[in-house]
Amino acid sequence: MTDDSISASAGDSQAGTGGGVVNRRNVLKALGGAGLVATAGCVSQLSGGSNQEWPSRQVEVVSPWSAGGGADRTSRAVADAAESNTDVSWNVSNQTGGSGSVGMSAVANAEPTGHTLGCTAPEICLFQHLGIADLGPDDITPIMQYTQMPAAIVVRQNSDYTTVDEFLSYAENNKVQMANSGIGSSWHMAGAAWASEAGIDVQHVAYEGAAPAITATVNGEADCATVGAVEVASQVRDGPLTALGVMYDEQLESLPNTPTMQSQGVDIVIGSWLAHFAPPDLPEEVQQSIVETYNTVYESESFRTFMENNNFMRVKRGPEELQQFLDDRYEFYGNLVEELNIQA
């Protein structure tokens, strides 16, 4: 099972988006990137009709999941780099709930001045299919995708199962509780797809982000968690977690000793990606100014260093390519929800 939004190219590479696929063994693979090159500091016309420079006041970036997860950490890295390249402060707030729909909806409903931005992920392509929220790719203004994150399944180090085979044997006679970052989240979808491919039943347990899902696994509240590989890399390396496998087509630098699921007999490649967006009806000039700032951020030494030091893949899509990618993913996830009969 392969998600066409996940590919084996992990740098500033460019990959095709592909269409929504429905074949059971080819349902899941791609997350590629493309880029723009520009500079910051454009003068834009904000809503209300007056010409003034963007940004003219503090910019807020809303992370729709809890602190400590990939969306939160990378958004703070973006904000730090952007603050160094603009004349205003940048703040990141965490507005959680509804598998990310609370925070994303807050941004989608904000005034389209460019001073409220948000982080999004595959969930924006899932909400409507699952009836979680009336929010989809057509309700936002895309800015830039900047990373992708293959999924991993982790367990406590002192678990009775430390390999996929041991875990599957355990699951044959026990009800497995699998923690995720929210019902209908990208990690819920990854876990459900993995369980389907592996032929086991699991009980999905929702938390308000990857960080609390990981904590629940460490504390024994859940048997395992499906999260981003990079989000658990330090805890796998230093304890107290063991990664059973990564849902990718090659081993990852962030988890160099963790085998792929494919090599262990579960043929699946799936994960997540992160992008920033603005409210709908954003004036074109303002969008361009924001994109120019984000191009500068993406190439900045501070952002590059953060991504490299924390094992985040750098993958870039500008607004036009990102919009097409979102439309493709919307169709893909609609097919996946129907195929796996996933309900919120």
Side-chain angles (χ1 to χ4, degrees):
M1 182 176 284
T2 305
D3 175 0
D4 285 339
S5 69
I6 305 281
S7 70
S9 53
D12 299 330
S13 56
Q14 189 168 350
T17 57
V21 280
V22 289
N23 185 293
R24 175 124 162 65
R25 289 279 174 182
N26 299 296
V27 187
L28 298 156
K29 188 172 183 180
L31 265 181
L36 300 167
V37 178
T39 58
C42 211
V43 174
S44 306
Q45 182 170 332
L46 303 182
S47 60
S50 59
N51 285 327
Q52 54 182 302
E53 184 178 356
W54 177 93
S56 61
R57 52 185 170 83
Q58 176 179 284
V59 176
E60 179 184 16
V61 179
V62 176
S63 173
W65 293 284
S66 58
D72 172 77
R73 294 170 62 202
T74 58
S75 291
R76 293 183 188 279
V78 168
D80 288 344
E83 191 167 289
S84 298
N85 287 279
T86 56
D87 296 327
V88 302
S89 62
W90 286 60
N91 175 62
V92 176
S93 65
N94 300 91
Q95 299 185 36
T96 66
S99 299
S101 63
V102 171
M104 290 187 220
S105 294
V107 177
N109 292 325
E111 289 294 321
T113 64
H115 294 94
T116 301
L117 305 174
C119 186
T120 190
E123 286 77 359
I124 192 70
C125 304
L126 278 160
F127 295 142
Q128 292 175 337
H129 295 304
L130 292 169
I132 292 175
D134 188 15
L135 180 67
D138 291 340
D139 301 311
I140 65 173
T141 298
I143 300 299
M144 180 181 289
Q145 176 190 342
Y146 55 85
T147 191
Q148 67 181 28
M149 298 188 295
I153 292 183
V154 293
V155 299
R156 298 181 302 283
Q157 279 186 336
N158 60 353
S159 295
D160 294 331
Y161 32 82
T162 58
T163 67
V164 168
D165 283 344
E166 292 174 352
F167 184 85
L168 294 179
S169 295
Y170 175 84
E172 288 178 0
N173 302 308
N174 298 274
K175 190 66 173 182
V176 172
Q177 291 190 320
M178 179 178 285
N180 59 54
S181 56
I183 296 299
S185 68
S186 53
W187 303 134
H188 175 207
M189 298 297 292
W194 182 86
S196 176
E197 192 71 27
I200 61 171
D201 292 325
V202 301
Q203 179 183 353
H204 298 283
V205 184
Y207 292 85
E208 296 296 346
I214 295 166
T215 299
T217 303
V218 172
N219 293 340
E221 297 173 21
D223 295 296
C224 64
T226 305
V227 292
V230 70
E231 296 176 304
V232 292
S234 62
Q235 289 163 292
V236 170
R237 182 179 62 248
D238 303 325
L241 293 173
T242 295
L244 299 183
V246 293
M247 302 182 202
Y248 203 48
D249 51 13
E250 63 181 38
Q251 286 184 271
L252 302 174
E253 290 184 8
S254 57
L255 293 174
N257 298 318
T258 301
T260 67
M261 289 296 180
Q262 288 180 329
S263 69
Q264 300 179 86
V266 184
D267 187 12
I268 184 169
V269 176
I270 192 172
S272 186
W273 42 266
L274 295 172
H276 280 186
F277 71 98
D281 302 320
L282 188 73
E284 184 177 349
E285 297 87 349
V286 178
Q287 181 188 21
Q288 182 60 32
S289 293
I290 298 172
V291 170
E292 289 170 354
T293 295
Y294 269 70
N295 281 317
T296 301
V297 165
Y298 188 84
E299 299 299 339
S300 68
E301 182 178 354
S302 64
F303 186 69
R304 280 178 173 270
T305 299
F306 169 84
M307 297 292 276
E308 291 170 3
N309 288 349
N310 291 278
N311 298 120
F312 284 102
M313 296 178 178
R314 294 177 72 248
V315 175
K316 185 180 182 183
R317 280 189 173 91
E320 292 185 4
E321 188 182 11
L322 178 55
Q323 184 65 65
Q324 181 60 55
F325 176 72
L326 291 173
D327 292 340
D328 289 343
R329 295 298 88 201
Y330 184 86
E331 180 181 356
F332 163 77
Y333 277 110
N335 292 330
L336 186 60
V337 165
E338 182 178 358
E339 179 184 353
L340 300 182
N341 192 29
I342 296 175
Q343 300 178 356

